[in-house]
Amino acid sequence: MGNGLLQQDLSLSRQHRMQTSSAVAQRMFGTPDVLVSAIKLTELPGIEVDQSADQVGYFHLLFDTHEIVFANGAPSESLLRADTALASVTPQARQEIRMIFPDLPDQGITLPPHMIPENLQQKRLVERLLKNQKPVLETRIS
């Protein structure tokens, strides 16, 4: 990820997005900070698909709005409250979300804190970072 990140190994689902912050993103998207799916980042050295995992468990952080949180020192997204994301959790989890957050509508989208480029654009960003030997995070985010 760059700048001494991560503090220790981090496992994510393929769809989970990490925040990037770079001059490359600034040139491509008009903002240095964008969210990129973990699977797109596997083109970079040190980021790989764990082929040895035979079982996984997911922990989702849900807030009133889509937030950036730090996972092992790296900026990562909370659960994006969108129809597609909520469809990926179990019915029991959706029921628990409704119980904890009774004022949240069953459907709808919260706005992400940073741009989420389309898949092809994410791929091109990663390719350019790799080609130019730039880290995903050029500056330390706090």
Side-chain angles (χ1 to χ4, degrees), residues 10 16-19 35 60-63 65-79 113-114 141:
L10 177 65
H16 194 88
R17 288 178 287 262
M18 301 297 290
Q19 181 180 336
L35 295 170
H60 299 289
L61 298 177
L62 178 64
F63 301 94
T65 60
H66 192 214
E67 299 286 342
I68 297 298
V69 297
F70 288 84
N72 296 355
S76 177
E77 69 173 345
S78 65
L79 181 65
H114 300 297
I141 298 170

Side-chain angles (χ1 to χ4, degrees), residues 66-122:
H66 192 214
E67 299 286 342
I68 297 298
V69 297
F70 288 84
N72 296 355
S76 177
E77 69 173 345
S78 65
L79 181 65
L80 176 59
R81 192 175 53 80
D83 296 340
T84 53
L86 292 178
S88 69
V89 299
T90 66
Q92 295 85 0
R94 283 193 298 277
Q95 182 179 7
E96 183 178 3
I97 289 168
R98 282 193 289 280
M99 185 176 67
I100 295 170
F101 297 98
D103 295 333
L104 287 180
D106 285 339
Q107 296 187 358
I109 297 175
T110 58
L111 296 176
H114 300 297
M115 176 185 185
I116 302 173
E118 296 294 326
N119 284 333
L120 184 55
Q121 292 174 313
Q122 289 181 37

Side-chain angles (χ1 to χ4, degrees), residues 18-40:
M18 301 297 290
Q19 181 180 336
T20 67
S21 184
S22 72
V24 175
Q26 177 69 47
R27 286 190 298 277
M28 289 179 70
F29 307 115
T31 179
D33 302 316
V34 297
L35 295 170
V36 176
S37 300
I39 192 65
K40 300 291 188 274

